[in-house]
Amino acid sequence: MIDTLHPSKVKLLEAAFRVIRTKGYSATRIDDICEAAGVTKGSFFHHFKGKEDLAVAAAEHWSATTGALFAEAAYHAASDPLERVLGYIDFRKKLLEGELPEITCLVGTMVQEAYETQPEIRDACGRSILAHAAEIERDIAEAMRDRGIAADWTAGSLALHTQAVLQGAFILAKATGETKVAVASVDHLRRYVELLFDANTKRGDES
């Protein structure tokens, strides 16, 4: 749990969020993390064996932190599951306001560098992304049932597609140096989901 972590460990983990999203995992040094956290290297090695151990813990802390953020989001209050799905997309779009390092995904950043060479980091990042997709998958599945949708795609595949679009949007934002391309990608994602569900069809209506 987040609230049971030692304060200096939390500082290091949150510093990792900032530094790795700015510099990338490979270019980040332990000294960079310590400086950003305002703690000593002795404190770092009290909590972590090394940079890889920090990265795995950071991925887990990222999941807990962002999970709490999404759990409290207002879109969950909608009675219509499709409105919750679209509300989730709208919420993700709102999170694209800010500087590039602040709006990008820690685990998406790390896994691009570590997927082949550091399997523990890859697996921690994978667990984070897949667990997040599983949350939206439940609402997608309910929306499919509500609207009687039988298709050759699944709630799980669409949930993963939302993450593919979002992670790709972060990459495009980094490549262009601006967030508007990411915002446009999220807008396209919303239109795509609306078309899949024919959002004008009322719950329980037959098409």
Side-chain angles (χ1 to χ4, degrees):
M1 296 293 292
I2 297 174
D3 59 359
T4 63
L5 296 177
H6 191 280
S8 62
K9 187 171 186 178
V10 173
K11 288 181 180 179
L12 287 162
L13 292 169
E14 293 182 350
F17 291 177
R18 299 191 301 274
V19 177
I20 293 173
R21 286 190 290 171
T22 300
K23 302 182 69 171
Y25 173 74
S26 298
T28 293
R29 303 172 304 155
I30 290 173
D31 286 341
D32 298 327
I33 301 292
C34 292
E35 181 180 355
V39 303
T40 65
K41 287 183 77 171
S43 179
F44 177 94
F45 285 108
H46 174 74
H47 295 296
F48 306 107
K49 298 175 185 176
K51 192 172 81 165
E52 184 172 352
D53 188 37
L54 167 71
V56 172
E60 293 169 349
H61 191 59
W62 176 263
S63 293
T65 303
T66 57
L69 173 68
F70 282 93
E72 295 169 359
Y75 66 83
H76 292 291
S79 60
D80 183 347
L82 179 56
E83 289 304 311
R84 295 198 295 272
V85 175
L86 296 175
Y88 163 79
I89 296 171
D90 293 339
F91 186 66
R92 294 305 303 253
K93 179 180 176 179
K94 185 172 178 58
L95 293 178
L96 294 174
E97 299 173 359
E99 298 298 318
L100 275 176
E102 298 170 354
I103 62 103
T104 54
C105 177
L106 174 78
V107 293
T109 298
M110 290 199 298
V111 77
Q112 291 175 56
E113 297 184 59
Y115 75 96
E116 181 67 26
T117 56
Q118 291 155 305
E120 288 189 11
I121 298 175
R122 177 199 63 210
D123 292 346
C125 293
R127 287 192 298 271
S128 178
I129 294 170
L130 294 176
H132 187 74
E135 291 294 321
I136 193 65
E137 179 181 349
R138 285 192 280 271
D139 286 333
I140 294 171
E142 187 177 344
M144 291 176 72
R145 289 192 296 270
D146 272 9
R147 286 165 169 77
I149 292 178
D152 58 0
W153 52 272
T154 66
S157 68
L158 180 55
L160 289 176
H161 178 65
T162 66
Q163 304 313 301
V165 172
L166 291 164
Q167 295 296 341
F170 297 144
I171 292 173
L172 289 173
K174 291 175 182 176
T176 61
E178 54 188 21
T179 59
K180 67 180 183 180
V181 65
V183 171
S185 294
V186 175
D187 285 339
H188 280 303
L189 175 61
R190 194 185 204 283
R191 285 188 287 268
Y192 175 69
V193 171
E194 287 175 329
L195 288 169
L196 278 179
F197 283 91
D198 187 10
N200 291 324
T201 301
K202 303 296 184 184
R203 297 173 68 183
D205 284 357
E206 294 183 358
S207 56

